[in-house]
Amino acid sequence: MGGGPADGGSAAVRPVRLIHTESTTEIPVHLLFRDAPEPAPVRLRPAVVARRADADGKVPQGQGQGQGQGQGTGTGTGTGKRVRSVVPEVDPELVERPARVLPGLAGVLAGVCGVAGCAVTSWWAGVLPPLVAQALGPAARAGAAGLGPAQWAAYAGAGALGLVGFGGLARGRTGRAWVLGLFGRYRGTVRRTGLMWVNPLLLRRRVDVRLRHWRGEPVRAADRSGVALRVAVLVVWRVRDTARATLGVEDHEAYLRECVEAALVRVPVAAPGAGKGAVEAAQDALTRLVAADTAPVGVEVFAVRPVRVEYAPEVAAAMHRRRIAALDAQHRASVLGSVVDSVEDTVTRLTMRGLVELDDYERKVLVKDLTVAFCAGRGETGP
């Protein structure tokens, strides 16, 4: 690229700002000094978490897609949104329904008929007791036919009728219900009162459906500041759906107690001495939470009220020491204030009335002596 006269024609033909490489590739100079371009945006596909196949080798539809969409659109748990508590599910077909029962008079009549049938069969077979046979006289001996297949069949039918009639009698009480089942299957609920007849083959479970209250033992809780508390609550509840309360959970009373303890862990309780508004807010939150947890199992909760709130033993001891220290400091401050006021009043009176003339050193000594005297007097007569 030496600028000789022979290169004048070629320089006029080709561009000036070019660089020749060994492979005769021409690179424009302005491309070497321009800013690096920003990388082109690349659209990322939403992440999809693989789901494990079930026993049949099929993957549930909608679950994997839902997780991918939740991560891509910001509706999943990774975006910081609060996860709602899972409500327990019970078989939707397990709902209380009335059972088929008959009046108690029908069972009594069936039992009486069975007993009468046994008596007639005994007269027919001639196996009546001696006293009854003597009372009937020749009529008892005339009807004697002996024990044969027909007599035994009559005995079986009459005895079965009597057992079914008297064995199915039941007495319903106010506030009590019967949950009936046959071979593990729910057959209905009886809420009737009085004498009635129920199929004796059905399994009966008595359930208390009255309005009940339960006061638990003190359990651990915490206030809004995280201070440990011990709370005893009063729960007002009743069984609304006998089928779910009996068959949907092993023990609905134990389940209720566990729900109350879980709610006390999640809901901050008002500390002792808190205002009425804070106490009512804690009660409402506890009631809503426990009612939502127990509704699927047929238990209706009306109120969850903390009846005794106290600090935990370790916290109570620390707070007691802190309170004593605060009272002691307050007492000392009041005593010191009164002593300083007394010393100031004494020195001012002595100086203003001209009883003594004091320089700075004598004033300091007098103030010191008066302070010691007043503090000693306060310590002797103080509480």
Side-chain angles (χ1 to χ4, degrees):
M1 295 179 59
D7 298 335
S10 61
V13 175
R14 59 186 180 182
V16 179
R17 301 178 65 181
L18 291 179
I19 297 177
H20 292 275
T21 61
E22 295 181 356
S23 59
T24 66
T25 301
E26 298 180 353
I27 305 175
V29 177
H30 65 279
L31 295 180
L32 299 178
F33 300 97
R34 69 173 185 175
D35 297 335
E38 297 181 357
V42 180
R43 297 186 60 184
L44 300 178
R45 298 179 59 186
V48 179
V49 181
R51 303 291 295 178
R52 182 178 297 179
D54 54 9
D56 298 334
K58 299 181 180 179
V59 178
Q61 298 180 358
Q63 296 182 359
Q65 298 178 358
Q67 292 184 357
Q69 294 176 359
Q71 295 179 1
T73 59
T75 58
T77 59
T79 58
K81 290 190 176 182
R82 185 176 180 182
V83 180
R84 297 181 179 179
S85 59
V86 180
V87 179
E89 297 182 359
V90 183
D91 186 3
E93 298 182 358
L94 187 61
V95 181
E96 179 181 336
R97 59 178 182 270
R100 297 179 180 179
V101 295
L102 298 177
L105 182 59
V108 173
L109 292 178
V112 171
C113 291
V115 173
C118 291
V120 172
T121 305
S122 298
W123 172 80
W124 179 24
V127 292
L128 292 174
L131 296 178
V132 178
Q134 291 178 3
L136 294 178
R141 293 189 296 270
L147 289 175
Q151 287 75 16
W152 285 114
Y155 268 125
L161 182 60
L163 291 177
V164 170
F166 288 123
L169 294 177
R171 183 182 62 174
R173 298 180 180 180
T174 303
R176 303 293 178 89
W178 294 95
V179 177
L180 307 181
L182 180 61
F183 303 117
R185 183 178 180 183
Y186 174 63
R187 304 299 297 177
T189 301
V190 180
R191 288 180 177 262
R192 296 177 55 177
T193 58
L195 187 63
M196 55 188 169
W197 182 85
V198 183
N199 187 351
L201 299 179
L202 298 177
L203 178 62
R204 308 173 190 177
R205 295 184 182 181
R206 186 184 295 274
V207 182
D208 192 345
V209 295
R210 296 174 295 181
L211 186 65
R212 305 170 63 184
H213 70 279
W214 164 70
R215 178 172 178 172
E217 297 294 332
V219 297
R220 289 188 172 271
D223 61 1
R224 295 185 179 276
S225 301
V227 179
L229 303 174
R230 293 182 65 86
V231 183
V233 296
L234 176 67
V235 184
V236 182
W237 63 284
R238 71 176 179 184
V239 175
R240 185 174 183 178
D241 193 317
T242 57
R244 293 191 172 185
T246 307
L247 305 176
V249 67
E250 183 176 0
D251 187 354
H252 59 275
E253 295 185 9
Y255 181 79
L256 175 61
R257 289 193 294 268
E258 298 296 337
C259 289
V260 171
E261 294 183 5
L264 288 174
V265 173
R266 290 180 285 178
V267 177
V269 182
K276 182 179 180 181
V279 175
E280 292 180 352
Q283 291 179 3
D284 294 342
L286 287 173
T287 302
R288 289 195 301 268
L289 192 58
V290 176
D293 291 341
T294 57
V297 296
V299 177
E300 185 177 8
V301 177
F302 297 95
V304 180
R305 301 189 183 96
V307 293
R308 189 178 65 184
V309 181
E310 58 186 11
Y311 290 104
E314 62 276 8
V315 178
M319 295 193 68
H320 182 65
R321 292 192 299 267
R322 183 183 300 177
R323 185 175 181 181
I324 292 177
L327 292 176
D328 191 12
Q330 183 180 3
H331 176 67
R332 290 181 180 180
S334 62
V335 169
L336 182 60
S338 61
V339 168
V340 171
D341 293 340
S342 300
V343 172
E344 181 182 5
D345 184 60
T346 302
V347 175
T348 302
R349 288 184 179 183
L350 291 175
T351 306
M352 294 297 295
R353 294 181 181 183
L355 298 178
V356 292
E357 293 182 359
L358 303 173
D359 55 8
D360 293 341
Y361 177 77
E362 294 175 347
R363 186 186 298 274
K364 292 180 180 179
V365 173
L366 179 60
V367 169
K368 179 180 179 181
D369 295 340
L370 291 176
T371 302
V372 172
F374 286 152
C375 286
R378 293 281 183 175
E380 293 176 358
T381 59

